[in-house]
């Protein structure tokens, strides 16, 4: 009987551990990995590329790489996705003929310094507040939408000078989006930067954990649109 009791207690602890481990994994990977092909459109040029969110050891990497031979567009964010998102680095490399922009952000949480190298060089102070980069903030948006949030504010650095600015987000409407013959129910999210004449609109698919199907950025310099064309993998 004592042996049976030990076995039953052991099984109970094993079940408890598996439940705890399952919940922990779910919290850390609330937004699943994915890979998809997108079309980038602007007034100057159009090209396609692949956006991918993947998990590597204890880090997550969110990237965009183009398929064009004339244009080089590479964007990559590295971060830790735990109870909150901890930004580590962000790299942007864009080249078209003689036009080139390159920037690299490093989030040093030991010294609480955010530094930029490349086209714009500066240093800014960090504190206990969560600061996102242009890519991993999209993961946070999806997390908050999964939690049922309709309005929220997130902090992003201004790439030109390092100023940490609030960005306001709000669910404003519903719509549908057709992808490869399937129609997805979607939400429309609007982002407004209070100090800029710039509006960004996101169309996110509810069924795909609020995957961004289309992003439209409209400012005085012109309009940019990013639209999904093919979902290569999900989860």
């Amino acid at each position: 009987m004592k042996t049976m009791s030990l076995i039953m207690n052991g099984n109970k602890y094993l079940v408890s551990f598996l439940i705890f481990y399952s919940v922990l994994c779910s919290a850390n990977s609330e937004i699943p990995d994915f890979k998809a092909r997108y079309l980038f459109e602007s007034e100057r040029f159009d090209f396609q590329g692949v956006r991918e969110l993947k998990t590597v050891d204890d880090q997550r990497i969110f990237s965009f790489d183009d398929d064009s031979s004339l244009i080089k567009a590479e964007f990559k964010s590295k971060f830790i996705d735990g109870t909150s998102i901890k930004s580590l680095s962000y790299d942007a490399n864009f080249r078209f003929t003689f036009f080139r922009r390159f920037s690299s952000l490093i989030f040093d949480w030991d010294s609480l310094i955010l530094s930029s190298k490349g086209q714009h060089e500066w240093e800014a102070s960090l504190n206990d507040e969560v600061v996102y980069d242009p890519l991993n903030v999209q993961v946070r948006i999806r997390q908050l939408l999964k939690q049922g949030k309709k309005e929220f504010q997130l902090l992003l650095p201004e790439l030109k000078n390092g100023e940490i600015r609030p960005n306001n987000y709000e669910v404003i409407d519903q719509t549908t989006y057709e992808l490869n013959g399937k129609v997805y129910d979607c939400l429309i999210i609007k982002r407004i930067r209070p100090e800029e004449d710039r509006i960004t609109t996101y169309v996110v698919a509810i069924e795909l954990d609020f995957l961004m199907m289309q992003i439209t950025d409209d400012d005085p310099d012109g309009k940019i649109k990013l639209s999904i064309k093919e979902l290569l993998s999900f989860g």
Side-chain angles (χ1 to χ4, degrees):
M1 293 295 294
K2 185 175 182 181
T3 300
M4 181 62 69
S5 176
L6 288 173
I7 292 174
M8 292 180 64
N9 286 335
N11 289 337
K12 179 178 69 175
Y13 293 137
L14 177 59
V15 170
S16 299
F17 171 78
L18 290 175
I19 292 174
F20 172 77
Y21 182 77
S22 175
V23 171
L24 181 62
C25 288
S26 175
N28 287 340
S29 56
E30 184 179 359
I31 300 301
D33 292 352
F34 79 93
K35 188 175 184 180
R37 188 175 304 281
Y38 283 77
L39 172 64
F40 178 96
E41 299 174 273
S42 72
E43 296 175 358
R44 297 183 61 185
F45 38 69
D46 302 343
F47 59 88
Q48 290 196 23
V50 173
R51 280 163 60 95
E52 182 178 17
L53 175 64
K54 61 183 179 181
T55 304
V56 180
D57 297 328
D58 63 340
Q59 295 183 15
R60 304 196 81 184
I61 300 174
F62 194 3
S63 62
F64 176 89
D65 292 293
D66 73 287
D67 294 334
S68 172
S69 58
L70 297 177
I71 298 171
K72 190 64 177 177
E74 297 176 329
F75 303 88
K76 181 180 293 185
S77 168
K78 292 183 179 181
F79 58 99
I80 296 174
D81 186 11
T83 53
S84 64
I85 286 180
K86 185 177 183 179
S87 302
L88 300 176
S89 66
Y90 170 79
D91 295 291
N93 185 11
F94 187 88
R95 185 175 69 250
F96 175 65
T97 61
F98 297 107
F99 176 83
R100 184 180 183 187
R101 288 183 179 176
F102 171 77
S103 63
S104 179
L105 301 182
I106 299 296
F107 295 78
D108 188 337
W109 293 103
D110 292 328
S111 60
L112 294 179
I113 295 293
L114 170 58
S115 60
S116 172
K117 303 296 182 184
Q119 183 182 7
H120 304 289
E121 299 199 359
W122 44 259
E123 286 190 352
S125 297
L126 297 168
N127 51 38
D128 292 336
E129 294 182 297
V130 180
V131 178
Y132 302 91
D133 67 45
L135 279 179
N136 68 28
V137 71
Q138 297 175 23
V139 176
R140 185 54 179 162
I141 291 170
R142 295 174 62 190
Q143 290 175 342
L144 292 173
L145 292 173
K146 286 192 68 172
Q147 295 172 17
K149 305 292 185 182
K150 302 299 182 184
E151 292 186 54
F152 44 90
Q153 185 178 89
L154 302 173
L155 297 177
L156 282 161
E158 171 56 48
L159 297 181
K160 294 180 179 179
N161 56 28
E163 180 183 355
I164 308 298
R165 293 184 179 180
N167 290 249
N168 299 323
Y169 301 83
E170 181 182 359
V171 177
I172 61 170
D173 206 348
Q174 296 181 345
T175 188
T176 58
Y177 192 98
E178 184 176 348
L179 177 65
N180 303 135
K182 181 173 181 177
V183 177
Y184 292 90
D185 291 326
C186 297
L187 299 179
I188 301 176
I189 319 299
K190 181 172 68 174
R191 180 189 76 170
I192 297 178
R193 292 185 176 183
E195 299 178 2
E196 295 182 14
D197 186 17
R198 178 180 179 185
I199 296 177
T200 305
T201 305
Y202 307 87
V203 176
V204 300
I206 300 171
E207 181 182 336
L208 298 175
D209 289 317
F210 301 96
L211 179 67
M212 295 190 176
M213 312 297 275
Q214 189 173 84
I215 303 172
T216 304
D217 195 65
D218 199 352
D219 66 22
D221 294 331
K223 187 174 183 179
I224 296 174
K225 183 186 292 184
L226 187 70
S227 307
I228 190 170
K229 293 301 176 183
E230 183 182 4
L231 186 59
L232 302 173
S233 65
F234 186 83

